Amino acid sequence: MIDSYKHKGLRKQLVDTIREKGIVDEEVLNAIGKIPRHLFMDSSFLEFAYQDKPFPIGSGQTISQPYTVAFQTELLEVKPGEKVLEIGTGSGYQACVLEELGAKVFTIERQKKLYLKSKKFLAELNYKAKIFYGDGYKGLPAFAPFDKILITAGAPELPADLASQLKTGGMIVVPLGRGGIQIMARFIKKEDGSMRKEDHGTFRFVPLLKKLADD
Ligand code: SAH
């Protein structure tokens, strides 16, 4: 697995691009600047790895656009040591960004092939994120409560099980909406258990699906 000067240079340009698009959190920008995104993609796409675009990763899924990864991560306001649950491991790239911010990362993927691939790959890169094969709608009750929850697929509504696995004062960032377009929502859990909701603009995600896929 090679991370050349050329890759590093392209990555620096990518960081400049997403900074220009409005990302201000230096920790998030550092993480994007550090992680070798080209290694998370199929080799035929290597030359595109540092464009600010989503790309196919197999099993009909995509690695999110770097700006979108940075935007969701910035909204989540991750602090070192926090327990963060990600729904939709995909390539594992977002999980690594969260880990670079010092989070203890738990992540769930419903496509068995992607789960197996990302579990092996993250271990090779020495990331410690705990990866689970399962239905993200159900969360991980055995490891709850979480400080933060990040959903990286478009959900029709806020999954109730996930809301119940969030600490008071915790946040859930989720692209909400059916069909091709979602509104990025941030929910903050109040003392009485109810959620305060904020909207943060429109994005496009693959859908959060209900059944497990074991191929
Ligand atoms: N975070 C990923 C990109 C996510 S794409 C990355 O950094 O590469 C969305 C992912 O969510 C896909 O891999 C898809 O298979 C997964 N997914 C969809 N519905 C799910 C569910 N109910 N539970 C867990 N994962 C789900």
Coordinates of all heavy atoms in Angstrom, one line a residue, residues 7 36-50 54-63 90-91 93 113-114 117-118 121:
H7 N 0.5 11.5 -4.0 CA -0.8 11.4 -3.3 C -0.9 12.5 -2.2 O -2.0 13.1 -2.0 CB -0.9 10.0 -2.6 CG -1.0 8.9 -3.6 ND1 -0.1 7.8 -3.6 CD2 -1.9 8.7 -4.6 CE1 -0.5 7.0 -4.6 NE2 -1.5 7.5 -5.2
P36 N -5.1 8.4 3.7 CA -4.8 8.1 2.3 C -6.1 7.6 1.6 O -6.3 6.4 1.4 CB -3.8 7.0 2.3 CG -4.0 6.3 3.7 CD -4.5 7.4 4.6
R37 N -7.0 8.5 1.1 CA -8.3 8.1 0.6 C -8.2 7.2 -0.6 O -9.0 6.4 -0.9 CB -9.1 9.4 0.2 CG -10.5 9.2 -0.3 CD -11.2 10.5 -0.4 NE -12.7 10.3 -0.7 CZ -13.3 10.4 -1.9 NH1 -12.5 10.7 -3.0 NH2 -14.5 10.2 -2.0
H38 N -7.0 7.3 -1.4 CA -6.9 6.5 -2.6 C -6.9 5.0 -2.2 O -7.2 4.2 -3.1 CB -5.6 6.9 -3.4 CG -4.4 6.7 -2.6 ND1 -3.9 7.6 -1.7 CD2 -3.4 5.7 -2.7 CE1 -2.8 7.1 -1.2 NE2 -2.4 6.0 -1.8
L39 N -6.5 4.7 -1.0 CA -6.4 3.3 -0.6 C -7.8 2.7 -0.3 O -7.9 1.5 -0.2 CB -5.5 3.1 0.6 CG -4.0 3.5 0.4 CD1 -3.2 3.4 1.6 CD2 -3.4 2.7 -0.8
F40 N -8.8 3.5 -0.2 CA -10.1 3.1 0.2 C -11.0 2.8 -1.1 O -12.1 2.5 -1.0 CB -10.9 4.2 1.0 CG -10.3 4.3 2.4 CD1 -9.1 4.9 2.6 CD2 -11.0 3.8 3.5 CE1 -8.6 5.1 3.9 CE2 -10.5 4.0 4.8 CZ -9.3 4.6 5.0
M41 N -10.4 3.0 -2.2 CA -11.1 2.9 -3.5 C -10.6 1.9 -4.4 O -9.4 1.5 -4.3 CB -11.1 4.3 -4.2 CG -11.7 5.4 -3.3 SD -11.4 7.0 -3.9 CE -11.9 6.9 -5.5
D42 N -11.4 1.4 -5.3 CA -11.0 0.4 -6.2 C -9.9 1.0 -7.1 O -9.9 2.1 -7.4 CB -12.1 -0.1 -7.1 CG -13.1 -0.9 -6.3 OD1 -12.8 -1.3 -5.2 OD2 -14.3 -1.0 -6.8
S43 N -8.9 0.1 -7.4 CA -7.7 0.7 -8.1 C -8.0 1.4 -9.4 O -7.3 2.4 -9.7 CB -6.7 -0.5 -8.4 OG -7.3 -1.4 -9.1
S44 N -9.0 1.0 -10.1 CA -9.3 1.7 -11.3 C -9.7 3.2 -11.1 O -9.8 4.0 -12.0 CB -10.4 1.0 -12.1 OG -11.5 0.8 -11.2
F45 N -10.0 3.5 -9.9 CA -10.4 4.9 -9.6 C -9.3 5.7 -8.9 O -9.5 6.9 -8.5 CB -11.7 4.9 -8.7 CG -12.9 4.4 -9.4 CD1 -13.6 3.4 -8.8 CD2 -13.3 4.9 -10.6 CE1 -14.7 2.9 -9.5 CE2 -14.4 4.4 -11.2 CZ -15.1 3.4 -10.7
L46 N -8.1 5.1 -8.8 CA -7.0 5.8 -8.0 C -6.9 7.3 -8.4 O -6.7 8.1 -7.5 CB -5.7 5.1 -8.3 CG -5.4 3.9 -7.3 CD1 -4.0 3.4 -7.6 CD2 -5.5 4.4 -5.9
E47 N -6.9 7.5 -9.7 CA -6.5 8.9 -10.1 C -7.6 9.9 -9.7 O -7.4 11.1 -9.8 CB -6.3 8.9 -11.7 CG -7.5 8.5 -12.4 CD -7.2 8.1 -13.9 OE1 -7.0 9.1 -14.6 OE2 -7.3 6.9 -14.2
F48 N -8.8 9.4 -9.4 CA -9.9 10.3 -9.0 C -10.0 10.5 -7.5 O -10.8 11.2 -7.0 CB -11.3 9.7 -9.5 CG -11.3 9.6 -10.9 CD1 -11.5 8.3 -11.5 CD2 -11.3 10.7 -11.8 CE1 -11.6 8.2 -12.9 CE2 -11.3 10.5 -13.1 CZ -11.5 9.3 -13.7
A49 N -9.1 9.8 -6.7 CA -9.3 9.7 -5.3 C -9.3 11.1 -4.6 O -9.9 11.2 -3.6 CB -8.2 8.8 -4.7
Y50 N -8.6 12.0 -5.2 CA -8.5 13.3 -4.5 C -9.3 14.4 -5.2 O -9.0 15.6 -4.9 CB -7.0 13.7 -4.3 CG -6.4 12.6 -3.3 CD1 -5.5 11.7 -3.7 CD2 -6.8 12.6 -2.0 CE1 -5.0 10.7 -2.9 CE2 -6.4 11.7 -1.1 CZ -5.5 10.7 -1.5 OH -5.0 9.8 -0.7
P54 N -18.0 11.8 -4.8 CA -18.2 10.5 -4.3 C -17.8 9.4 -5.4 O -17.6 9.8 -6.6 CB -19.7 10.4 -4.2 CG -20.3 11.4 -5.1 CD -19.2 12.5 -5.3
F55 N -17.5 8.2 -5.0 CA -17.1 7.2 -6.0 C -17.6 5.8 -5.6 O -17.8 5.5 -4.4 CB -15.6 7.1 -6.1 CG -15.1 8.1 -7.2 CD1 -14.6 9.3 -6.8 CD2 -15.3 7.8 -8.5 CE1 -14.2 10.2 -7.7 CE2 -15.0 8.8 -9.5 CZ -14.4 9.9 -9.1
P56 N -17.9 4.9 -6.6 CA -18.4 3.6 -6.3 C -17.3 2.8 -5.5 O -16.1 2.9 -5.8 CB -18.6 3.0 -7.7 CG -18.5 4.1 -8.6 CD -17.7 5.2 -8.0
I57 N -17.8 2.0 -4.5 CA -16.9 1.1 -3.8 C -17.3 -0.3 -3.8 O -16.9 -1.2 -3.0 CB -16.8 1.5 -2.3 CG1 -18.2 1.7 -1.7 CG2 -16.0 2.8 -2.1 CD1 -18.3 1.9 -0.2
G58 N -18.2 -0.7 -4.8 CA -18.7 -2.1 -4.9 C -20.0 -2.2 -4.1 O -20.4 -1.4 -3.3
S59 N -20.7 -3.4 -4.4 CA -22.0 -3.7 -3.8 C -23.0 -2.5 -3.9 O -23.9 -2.3 -3.1 CB -21.9 -4.0 -2.3 OG -20.9 -5.0 -2.1
G60 N -22.9 -1.8 -5.0 CA -23.8 -0.7 -5.3 C -23.7 0.5 -4.4 O -24.6 1.4 -4.4
Q61 N -22.6 0.6 -3.6 CA -22.5 1.7 -2.7 C -21.4 2.7 -3.1 O -20.6 2.4 -4.0 CB -22.2 1.1 -1.3 CG -23.3 0.2 -0.8 CD -24.6 0.9 -0.8 OE1 -24.7 2.1 -0.5 NE2 -25.7 0.1 -1.1
T62 N -21.3 3.8 -2.4 CA -20.3 4.8 -2.7 C -19.5 5.3 -1.5 O -20.0 5.2 -0.3 CB -21.0 6.1 -3.3 OG1 -21.9 6.5 -2.3 CG2 -21.6 5.8 -4.6
I63 N -18.3 5.7 -1.7 CA -17.6 6.4 -0.7 C -18.0 7.9 -0.8 O -18.1 8.4 -1.9 CB -16.0 6.3 -0.8 CG1 -15.3 7.0 0.3 CG2 -15.5 6.7 -2.2 CD1 -13.7 6.7 0.3
G90 N -19.6 1.5 4.9 CA -19.1 1.6 3.5 C -17.6 1.2 3.4 O -17.2 0.2 3.8
S91 N -16.8 2.2 2.9 CA -15.4 1.9 2.7 C -14.6 2.0 4.0 O -13.4 1.6 4.1 CB -14.8 3.0 1.8 OG -14.8 4.2 2.4
Y93 N -13.9 4.9 5.4 CA -13.1 6.2 5.4 C -13.6 7.1 6.5 O -12.9 7.7 7.2 CB -13.3 6.8 4.0 CG -12.6 8.2 3.9 CD1 -11.2 8.2 3.7 CD2 -13.3 9.3 3.9 CE1 -10.6 9.5 3.6 CE2 -12.7 10.6 3.8 CZ -11.4 10.6 3.6 OH -10.7 11.9 3.5
K113 N -20.4 -8.1 2.3 CA -19.1 -8.0 1.5 C -18.3 -6.8 1.9 O -17.1 -6.8 2.2 CB -19.4 -7.9 0.0 CG -19.1 -9.1 -0.8 CD -19.1 -8.7 -2.3 CE -19.3 -9.9 -3.1 NZ -19.8 -9.5 -4.5
L114 N -19.0 -5.6 2.0 CA -18.4 -4.4 2.4 C -17.9 -4.5 3.8 O -16.8 -4.0 4.2 CB -19.4 -3.2 2.3 CG -19.6 -2.6 0.9 CD1 -20.6 -1.5 1.0 CD2 -18.3 -2.0 0.4
K117 N -14.7 -6.6 3.9 CA -13.6 -5.9 3.2 C -13.1 -4.7 4.1 O -11.9 -4.6 4.3 CB -14.2 -5.3 1.9 CG -13.1 -4.7 1.0 CD -13.8 -4.4 -0.3 CE -13.0 -3.5 -1.2 NZ -13.7 -2.9 -2.4
S118 N -14.0 -3.9 4.7 CA -13.6 -2.8 5.5 C -13.0 -3.2 6.8 O -12.1 -2.6 7.3 CB -14.8 -1.8 5.7 OG -15.2 -1.3 4.4
F121 N -9.5 -4.2 6.0 CA -8.7 -3.1 5.5 C -8.3 -2.1 6.7 O -7.2 -1.7 6.8 CB -9.4 -2.4 4.4 CG -8.7 -1.2 3.9 CD1 -7.4 -1.4 3.3 CD2 -9.2 0.1 4.0 CE1 -6.8 -0.3 2.8 CE2 -8.6 1.1 3.5 CZ -7.3 1.0 2.9

